[in-house]
Amino acid sequence: MSNAGDLLKVEGLTAGYGAAPVLHEVTLSVGAGRIVAVLGANGAGKTTLLRTLSGLLPLAAGRVMFDGLDLRGVKVEKMVRHGIAHVPEGRGVVTELTVDENLRLGGLWRKPREPLDEIYDLFPALAQRKNHLGHQLSGGERQMLAIGRALAAKPRLLLLDEPSLGLAPKITSQIMGLLRDLRDRTGLAVLLVEQNVRSALSIADEGIVLNLGRIAAREKADKLADDADLRHAYLGF
Amino acid sequence: MKRTATVLAALLLAAGCSNGNSNSSGGSSSNTPGVTDTEILVGTHQPLTGPAAAGYSSIAPATKAYFDYVNANGGVYGRKITYKIMDDGYNPANTQQVVRQLVLQDKVFAILNGLGTPTHTGVLDFLKTNRVPDLFVASGSRTWNQPDKYPGTFGFNPDYTVEGKILATYVKETYAGKKVCFLGQDDDFGKDSLAGVEQVLGSVTAKQTYVVTNPNVGPQIGAFKAAACDVVVLASIPGFTALSIGTAAKIGYKPQFVVSNVGSDPTTLAKTLGAAAPLLEGVVAANYLPLATDDSSPWIQLYKKVNAQYNGNATFDNNVVYGMSVGYLFVQALQGAGKDLTRDKLTEAVQKGGFTGPGLVPVRFSAQDHSGYAGEQLTKLTGGKATYFGTPYTTDDAAGAVAPYSGTAAAPPANGVPPAQ
Amino acid sequence: MDRFLYLTFDGLSRGAVYAAFALALVLIWRAARIVNFAQGAMAVATAYVGYSVASATGSYWLGFVVAIAGGLVLGAVVERVVMRFVDHSSPLNGVVVALGLVLIIQGVLGMIYGNDYRPAEAPFSRDAFQIGGVTLLSRFDLFVFGAVGAVVVLLTLLFTRTSTGLRMRAAAFAPDVSRLLGVPVGGMLTLGWALAAAVGSLAGMLVIPTELGLHPNAMDLLFISAFTAAVLGGLDSPVGAVVGGLVVGLLLTYVSGYLGANVAPMAVLILLVVVLLSRPDGLFSKAKARTA
Amino acid sequence: MTIVERLATTTKNRQKSRQNRFVPLAGVLVGAAVIVVLTYTLPPFRNYQLATIGAYLCVTAGLTVLTGLNGQLSLGHGALMATGAYTLALWQDRFNLLLPGIVLAVVVTTLAGGVIGLAAARLRGPYLAGLTLAVAVVVPSITSTFDNTFNSDQGLSVALNPPPGVIPVEQWQVWICWAGALLTVLFLAYLVRGRFGRDMRAVRDDETAAKLAGVGVARTQVLAFVVSAACAGLSGALFAVLAQSVSPGAFPLTLSLFLVMAIVIGGLGRLTGALIGAFLLVALPSVAQSIAEDAGSQHLEGNLALTFFGVVLVVVMLAAPGGLASMKFPRKIRKQKGQE
């Protein structure tokens, strides 16, 4: 499934906390303008995968290439300059800062800095709460803020961890729709970690199933959604 | 836990075995702690570090330098004096530790000139129990003068009440009818001094205290200004003397300052005040030893020589004079105790008294009196230099009169070492 | 009334220096979530350097600038060489290392300069203006107020108007997220230490002329008052530091003036208890408490 | 550390403690035997130092439980020690009955600790540190304001009967101090193993989670403070016995700071760490002074010792972030560090 035009190429990635690896020889790729959903039960290693890709965790073995660049040894704070934005689990909104400050933070590294109008256009709800502190926002608003902040960095690849966690279905589908639009409009690539398999597969181009840190399946999204055996075995529905 | 305990035990044992001989006292000098045929080991506790070190950390090195001088001139009955200075940072808990180390481990012959009232008070009982001579404590507390309770403890400084009475006598004679205020440290120093002052002057117009932990005397000096006092008596340590004089100048208040001896060393004050040192002009204080700036005194000539040779030419101020005078008196006491040196003989020799030395007034050691110098003479600062004026006075810490002392000061022996008696 | 006014001005001029030093503590707390017990000793170290330069060159202001610059450097060095390598999984580790630094700095200063007080000149007259027999402030007091005010304004501008300030705040509140957003968290930490130490040095240059003089322990007592002031105002709030400093300064002076110097520490304790029991995160804490 | 990781380490610790389970009573009895033997072999000054270690152990053990297990930082334990010491001094002056006096000292300090603990339970981190710091610096102020009772800076002397029979004073002091210390350790060891210990850790790790699990957060915190205050009171009383005098200068803020340093350097939250800390409080200053003496010129005075002391603190904290008691597992620490 890997081809020359892939934006992100992961080969034989092994990583985890301390001596015991959580991920074992994971190989995957994400092409430009594609949404890849990473699925799996709790503890399958989904979050670890994203944290390793963005450099928060060290690589024990394997190779991560991003647009021809070996990411080993690239510091976390430099990732965003190469075009990788990571929205961590729990949204990572800095609750002590205002909405506007959070968004500015996303685009700070860019020179010259661009105005945030585009982001506020995407998320009108945020525009209304510009000067509210992060902890005053609702869960949905925080998620939008986190994604909006990542987009302010103008990334080519978005690593998105559980955007639907704790959100009402209506808001979840709003967010999913937004991601699809962005992909279609800007060619953004997304590696989407989700527990909510249905909504993830509804927008993904392909899906990867992780089980106990190993890749159990890699399929086109619609195919995965139809594969009853796989669903029963790993995804629980 | 168990293993750690064993390791700690082993460590303690190892540390302890190196010096595990038993102690004893009395008898002859052959089994007197700290005394051998060639050496006398003496210890002291001093604030070498911490906030209280300022001003006082130069005393013990000066004493040591004088001992080195004596040692170079043959010592005392052929014995050299080794002076072990321990730093207690003016913390009574540390004093406990270091004095026990000196007595129990290093087996010093005597404790000399331990500095500070709260620090030394805590070790009085310990020193008494172990029958260690506790000579010439460096503070003017009346605590040291309790021959019945602490037979081995002797003071050195005139006590604060004696000083208060003498300062007040000067104020009464010179500023009759003027308003007098008093600022004292919030402890026995301030209290004893105030007691002496009020005994002579009656109640003062305004009295205030300061605490060493709050270096701001603005409220106190402000109160004196509001009370329009003409004379301010200070029972303060040098830093707070400087602070008080500086604060008064800051608010445009110019009383006559009369300052206790412990807080009046001109060198220390001038150093602290820096460019504001001219404010010291006219300050009246008191002393009982030759002044560091009095080059005509044979004692100062001797001490300067010792300071140059054995004290690394340290800044020569009244603290150095004090330290060397302590050393001189101690050597006198050792000479008096004789060749067969024991702790009891040393105490007897001190109690016998009759020492003549650098002091302007006598030390009044006797069986009934363990306080130090009997009085003081007043000084005035002019041109950055203190000079004596008037006559020395002596008095006691009770109701006794303040009397002029007419004796003349002794000259140092030619070789600078007190002769054997 | 005159007495009250006199004490008020005396208390304000004391409070201003507490405020300056409390600001330094707030700054480091905001940058690194640590109460820097070594702040006082570091400030004394740079003050020694500053006064050495001043006496060598004859220019107070050159020494002043050197002291502040020395603060910047010392703060950065302490963070880069020591604090960075402290395991911060327990907040106490940093505290103990800071206390160790205090002993080292005081020991080294004592070895170089000795343990006596050295004079510390003030750049302006300390003689107070008098109006109608009431003693007001001195030129130096005004300078202190001006300097503290300037620091507050500059810090506020830095934190609210500049992107560096934004980065510093983000790095302190959420280091991991900030790194993901491209914020060099380590660099921000170094910058925070450097700035805090520079403000500490400024406070040192402001306070030492009003106290007993230069001494390795010169800032020990001030640290206690300033820490109290910072806690009172709320460790996250520069404005709180200033208000806390002034309140502590006034309280100490009023109590010393009306009740006696020995009662003052008890008054401070009572004030702290009253304030913290009603506002556990200080007077100027934000609505939501963060348990750090 | 996330909560999950914390939980993981807690479980790990629990497993570990199950592995090398030992009975505190046995440990304490062995300790008592070692101490008694030591008192007969050590020279007087070493005995005095040993007694001082015992007196320190009371307070460090209590403080390490408060700070290490319950997460409350106190900079005011020196003041609590002063409370115990003054209580004993005043009692001895009137009655001269040592054991009831020590018990009374503990009771009075416990009450004082309860008052501070009530306030402390509402405060977190540096705010608690700030309040307890203000408590620590208030001691001299109280002794001089009520100087008729406390005799200001000079303090009180403590009336003591000489030791029974021909036992040397220093040996007698070791027995008294270590009896107190070992009882304290025994009490705390059982306390920490029980439900109270679990509650304290739960509160330290996550107050909300603890509340949900039915742990009375405020009650646990106040109780932890009270327990550690009782230990500090005992320690203070023992120091009064050792010094035969009490004065505010002996309980300065630096003492409170040194206590915190001792438990952190020793190993926070472990009684072994408290023992190492108590040992260092006695040994380090005197080692520093003798090293400085050997190396030093007169003009460095005490400064070399001070510097040496500071360097030791910094180096130990960098080399053994878990304290000296954790030094047995250097590899594990490195691994944990990599995780952060």
Side-chain angles (χ1 to χ4, degrees):
Chain A
M1 211 178 277
S2 152
N3 49 57
D6 284 342
L7 192 58
L8 176 76
K9 272 204 285 191
V10 179
E11 281 164 22
L13 175 142
T14 300
Y17 302 87
V22 176
L23 295 171
H24 305 272
E25 309 210 351
V26 170
T27 297
L28 60 86
S29 61
V30 182
R34 294 178 71 81
I35 298 180
V36 176
V38 180
L39 311 168
N42 253 339
K46 306 188 297 286
T47 295
T48 308
L49 175 63
L50 292 198
R51 289 172 66 85
T52 311
L53 291 180
S54 63
L56 284 173
L57 290 177
L59 219 61
R63 208 158 72 119
V64 180
M65 299 293 289
F66 183 74
D67 200 13
L69 173 79
D70 190 339
L71 287 186
R72 182 187 282 266
V74 175
K75 282 197 208 145
V76 187
E77 48 260 42
K78 298 280 178 204
M79 289 288 180
V80 70
R81 287 165 195 259
H82 295 295
I84 299 176
H86 181 173
V87 179
E89 191 182 8
R91 292 144 198 155
V93 165
V94 186
T95 52
E96 292 87 348
L97 300 182
T98 65
V99 169
D100 199 57
E101 285 169 337
N102 265 289
L103 286 180
R104 270 168 58 205
L105 207 50
L108 268 192
W109 65 274
R110 295 180 65 88
K111 288 206 173 92
R113 294 196 190 108
E114 288 173 25
L116 298 168
D117 302 350
E118 230 178 286
I119 311 292
Y120 282 124
D121 288 344
L122 271 176
F123 302 99
L126 294 182
Q128 286 165 15
R129 317 208 63 179
K130 238 180 176 172
N131 294 318
H132 284 66
L133 287 178
H135 66 77
Q136 296 171 308
L137 302 183
S138 72
E141 286 167 336
R142 287 191 200 195
Q143 189 60 62
M144 289 177 195
L145 177 54
I147 295 174
R149 191 179 58 190
L151 294 177
K154 295 271 156 77
R156 284 181 289 162
L157 171 67
L158 187 62
L159 306 175
L160 199 51
D161 202 346
E162 302 267 12
S164 76
L165 194 73
L167 296 189
K170 197 177 141 203
I171 297 178
T172 305
S173 66
Q174 223 179 325
I175 287 173
M176 294 299 168
L178 185 91
L179 290 176
R180 186 164 45 199
D181 286 354
L182 278 171
R183 172 194 61 186
D184 297 345
R185 212 154 41 82
T186 66
L188 177 72
V190 181
L191 192 60
L192 173 67
V193 159
E194 255 306 340
Q195 292 268 27
N196 188 339
V197 176
R198 264 183 240 276
S199 62
L201 289 180
S202 72
I203 60 160
D205 298 295
E206 59 186 278
I208 292 170
V209 178
L210 273 182
N211 184 43
L212 299 177
R214 291 174 202 278
I215 292 198
R218 189 160 34 156
E219 293 285 355
K220 289 251 184 270
D222 41 2
K223 229 169 159 183
L224 203 58
D226 294 338
D227 189 334
D229 291 347
L230 207 62
R231 275 185 358 222
H232 286 302
Y234 300 113
L235 306 174
F237 72 99
Chain B
M1 182 89 185
K2 238 181 294 178
R3 207 167 66 184
T4 321
T6 327
V7 172
L8 293 184
L11 274 173
L12 275 168
L13 266 176
C17 287
S18 53
N19 34 23
N21 48 356
S22 64
N23 67 331
S24 61
S25 59
S28 76
S29 65
S30 58
N31 59 13
T32 297
V35 179
T36 66
D37 287 346
T38 54
E39 192 198 19
I40 304 168
L41 178 61
V42 185
T44 189
H45 63 89
Q46 301 279 331
L48 299 181
T49 57
Y56 300 132
S57 58
S58 57
I59 292 176
T63 312
K64 193 184 176 81
Y66 180 74
F67 288 154
D68 290 345
Y69 172 79
V70 171
N71 293 344
N73 282 278
V76 183
Y77 296 108
R79 298 187 179 101
K80 299 203 180 327
I81 305 168
T82 306
Y83 194 41
K84 184 157 183 177
I85 308 166
M86 300 292 277
D87 178 20
D88 64 8
Y90 211 73
N91 174 337
N94 294 349
T95 314
Q96 296 286 344
Q97 286 277 343
V98 299
V99 167
R100 276 176 174 79
Q101 184 178 340
L102 287 169
V103 171
L104 298 175
Q105 181 175 282
D106 301 331
K107 312 247 182 275
V108 294
F109 171 61
I111 296 291
L112 176 63
N113 201 227
L115 194 146
T117 307
T119 47
H120 198 76
T121 304
V123 294
L124 284 176
D125 286 311
F126 170 76
L127 292 175
K128 178 190 174 186
T129 314
N130 286 271
R131 304 174 57 80
V132 180
D134 177 23
L135 302 188
F136 317 146
V137 184
S139 110
S141 171
R142 286 177 296 172
T143 314
W144 325 134
N145 182 19
Q146 300 184 72
D148 298 333
K149 201 169 168 199
Y150 299 113
T153 297
F154 295 85
F156 184 82
N157 304 25
D159 71 55
Y160 301 128
T161 305
V162 164
E163 174 172 68
K165 283 166 73 177
I166 292 172
L167 293 178
T169 304
Y170 161 77
V171 171
K172 194 176 176 185
E173 285 169 2
T174 320
Y175 298 95
K178 304 271 187 180
K179 286 184 178 171
V180 180
C181 288
F182 180 89
L183 175 66
Q185 187 159 307
D186 182 37
D187 58 15
D188 66 301
F189 172 23
K191 262 182 281 179
D192 288 0
S193 181
L194 180 63
V197 168
E198 294 202 320
Q199 197 185 319
V200 173
L201 285 177
S203 192
V204 295
T205 306
K207 46 193 165 196
Q208 296 273 334
T209 59
Y210 71 86
V211 291
V212 287
T213 50
N214 184 4
N216 177 27
V217 292
Q220 293 91 329
I221 302 293
F224 294 164
K225 188 188 181 191
C229 280
D230 307 292
V231 180
V232 172
V233 179
L234 296 177
S236 53
I237 54 175
F240 279 84
T241 307
L243 196 64
S244 303
I245 292 173
T247 304
K250 176 176 163 4
I251 62 173
Y253 172 48
K254 293 188 172 59
Q256 171 64 47
F257 281 102
V258 177
V259 186
S260 160
N261 169 254
V262 285
S264 69
D265 174 42
T267 321
T268 311
L269 290 180
K271 234 204 266 179
T272 309
L273 282 167
L279 292 174
L280 291 169
E281 198 66 14
V283 165
V284 170
N287 208 329
Y288 50 96
L289 296 171
L291 299 173
T293 44
D294 180 10
D295 287 329
S296 64
S297 157
W299 290 98
I300 296 301
Q301 289 158 10
L302 167 67
Y303 291 166
K304 279 199 163 163
K305 193 172 83 183
V306 174
N307 192 51
Q309 280 180 346
Y310 297 99
N311 204 21
N313 234 340
T315 313
F316 192 80
D317 58 14
N318 284 347
N319 288 316
V320 172
V321 174
Y322 177 96
M324 293 196 186
S325 300
V326 167
Y328 186 86
L329 184 60
F330 183 68
V331 173
Q332 277 182 308
L334 285 178
Q335 298 282 27
K339 183 163 175 49
D340 192 16
L341 185 61
T342 66
R343 285 174 164 174
D344 289 343
K345 281 188 182 158
L346 180 68
T347 313
E348 273 165 36
V350 176
Q351 221 156 242
K352 204 173 117 206
F355 302 109
T356 54
L360 309 180
V361 291
V363 276
R364 8 160 219 223
F365 297 134
S366 70
Q368 293 78 40
D369 195 336
H370 283 194
S371 67
Y373 278 96
E376 289 182 338
Q377 184 172 351
L378 294 156
T379 64
K380 188 168 225 152
L381 261 158
T382 35
K385 206 175 134 180
T387 39
Y388 280 116
F389 67 92
T391 57
Y393 291 94
T394 58
T395 186
D396 58 19
D397 60 10
V402 177
Y405 174 73
S406 54
T408 47
N415 69 346
V417 180
Q421 286 168 348
Chain C
M1 192 60 204
D2 280 4
R3 174 115 177 104
F4 179 76
L5 279 178
Y6 169 75
L7 290 176
T8 305
F9 284 110
D10 187 63
L12 284 175
S13 77
R14 289 301 297 165
V17 287
Y18 296 154
F21 198 71
L23 270 175
L25 289 173
V26 164
L27 201 51
I28 199 82
W29 174 256
R30 289 181 72 141
R33 301 273 118 186
I34 181 176
V35 176
N36 182 15
F37 279 79
Q39 194 99 65
M42 288 163 67
V44 172
T46 55
Y48 267 107
V49 174
Y51 276 106
S52 300
V53 170
S55 69
T57 62
S59 160
Y60 171 84
W61 292 109
L62 186 62
F64 185 82
V65 170
V66 168
I68 310 271
L72 278 173
V73 174
L74 183 60
V77 167
V78 165
E79 198 280 323
R80 283 275 157 154
V81 177
V82 184
M83 284 299 167
R84 176 154 296 200
F85 303 99
V86 175
D87 174 7
H88 288 290
S89 59
S90 161
L92 280 183
N93 289 6
V95 170
V96 171
V97 170
L99 292 172
L101 284 177
V102 172
L103 298 180
I104 296 174
I105 293 173
Q106 289 178 345
V108 170
L109 286 178
M111 282 190 258
I112 300 175
Y113 295 101
N115 283 339
D116 280 327
Y117 283 103
R118 299 180 154 231
E121 309 295 345
F124 300 104
S125 160
R126 297 203 49 227
D127 295 343
F129 298 112
Q130 320 241 353
I131 296 177
V134 181
T135 306
L136 306 173
L137 298 164
S138 67
R139 275 176 220 281
F140 183 71
D141 291 334
L142 294 178
F143 169 61
V144 172
F145 280 113
V148 173
V151 169
V152 174
V153 170
L154 288 176
L155 285 183
T156 311
L157 286 179
L158 171 73
F159 279 122
T160 56
R161 294 294 155 85
T162 69
S163 33
T164 305
L166 181 57
R167 281 195 194 97
M168 285 178 71
R169 280 195 292 159
F173 288 129
D176 263 9
V177 171
S178 302
R179 290 169 76 203
L180 289 175
L181 296 171
V183 175
V185 172
M188 290 301 116
L189 207 55
T190 310
L191 184 61
W193 273 86
L195 280 179
V199 174
S201 298
L202 171 70
M205 295 303 284
L206 296 180
V207 70
I208 289 170
T210 71
E211 292 203 1
L212 304 178
L214 255 181
H215 184 270
N217 297 72
M219 300 284 276
D220 288 7
L221 296 168
L222 187 80
F223 178 86
I224 296 171
S225 301
F227 182 40
T228 312
V231 164
L232 198 66
L235 270 168
D236 266 315
S237 163
V239 177
V242 173
V243 174
L246 294 179
V247 167
V248 171
L250 283 172
L251 182 74
L252 282 174
T253 307
Y254 286 142
V255 174
S256 300
Y258 288 119
L259 297 176
N262 52 346
V263 194
M266 283 191 263
V268 172
L269 175 63
I270 292 168
L271 175 73
L272 257 189
V273 169
V274 170
V275 169
L276 290 183
L277 284 189
S278 48
R279 293 188 70 88
D281 296 293
L283 286 172
F284 288 79
S285 60
K286 289 271 161 58
K288 182 180 155 249
R290 214 183 146 83
T291 51
Chain D
M1 247 208 240
T2 67
I3 294 168
V4 181
E5 285 165 55
R6 254 193 215 147
L7 277 179
T9 39
T10 325
T11 337
K12 231 185 286 162
N13 286 345
R14 205 173 296 145
Q15 277 161 359
K16 206 166 59 200
S17 70
R18 222 170 267 154
Q19 275 160 22
N20 58 9
R21 145 182 17 198
F22 86 106
V23 188
L25 185 62
V28 164
L29 287 177
V30 172
V34 171
I35 295 295
V36 171
V37 171
L38 274 177
T39 56
Y40 282 100
T41 46
L42 292 176
F45 179 63
R46 295 299 168 194
N47 263 331
Y48 173 76
Q49 286 187 310
L50 183 61
T52 313
I53 295 175
Y56 270 128
L57 178 54
C58 298
V59 61
T60 53
L63 191 59
T64 209
V65 165
L66 178 74
T67 305
L69 298 185
N70 200 38
Q72 290 177 281
L73 171 59
S74 167
L75 301 183
H77 266 50
L80 291 169
M81 288 170 66
T83 310
Y86 272 98
T87 307
L88 183 75
L90 292 171
W91 167 273
Q92 286 296 91
D93 188 38
R94 223 146 293 164
F95 305 104
N96 202 357
L97 286 168
L98 189 56
L99 194 60
I102 291 180
V103 172
L104 181 73
V106 172
V107 170
V108 170
T109 316
T110 308
L111 293 176
V115 175
I116 303 172
L118 280 174
R122 286 178 55 89
L123 302 178
R124 300 291 168 267
Y127 295 94
L128 178 55
L131 181 73
T132 48
L133 181 112
V135 171
V137 298
V138 90
V139 175
S141 161
I142 290 176
T143 57
S144 75
T145 306
F146 306 103
D147 62 346
N148 287 334
T149 314
F150 299 119
N151 196 22
S152 195
D153 266 14
Q154 208 169 346
L156 308 167
S157 66
V158 180
L160 286 174
N161 293 327
V166 289
I167 305 167
V169 183
E170 284 76 21
Q171 193 173 351
W172 178 234
Q173 287 173 329
V174 177
W175 292 356
I176 295 175
C177 289
W178 275 89
L182 292 173
L183 283 175
T184 307
V185 168
L186 192 64
F187 167 69
L188 290 174
Y190 279 110
L191 194 70
V192 160
R193 282 160 177 254
R195 195 196 140 143
F196 182 58
R198 254 194 342 265
D199 287 357
M200 280 197 295
R201 287 190 198 90
V203 169
R204 171 196 66 188
D205 290 342
D206 190 330
E207 283 184 25
T208 322
K211 218 176 270 172
L212 290 174
V215 176
V217 171
R219 209 201 53 187
T220 308
Q221 283 175 326
V222 175
L223 213 56
F225 209 101
V226 166
V227 167
S228 81
C231 299
L234 175 60
S235 172
L238 295 176
F239 269 104
V241 172
L242 271 176
Q244 299 170 49
S245 77
V246 292
S247 60
F251 304 96
L253 175 63
T254 41
L255 171 63
S256 297
L257 294 177
F258 273 42
L259 292 177
V260 172
M261 285 195 241
I263 57 168
V264 174
I265 293 269
L268 201 56
R270 303 161 192 252
L271 293 175
T272 329
L275 176 63
I276 296 175
F279 176 77
L280 290 178
L281 280 174
V282 174
L284 213 49
S286 77
V287 169
Q289 191 153 26
S290 65
I291 285 181
E293 233 167 68
D294 294 345
S297 92
Q298 230 180 62
H299 294 278
L300 298 180
E301 283 148 3
N303 290 305
L304 198 59
L306 212 60
T307 313
F308 171 79
F309 200 162
V311 169
V312 169
L313 283 180
V314 173
V315 168
V316 169
M317 266 348 282
L318 294 181
L324 291 173
S326 71
M327 284 286 265
K328 278 176 257 171
F329 315 102
R331 235 185 317 150
K332 267 201 181 142
I333 288 161
R334 215 173 299 141
K335 253 183 272 161
Q336 274 175 1
K337 237 180 150 179
Q339 239 179 65
E340 311 271 314

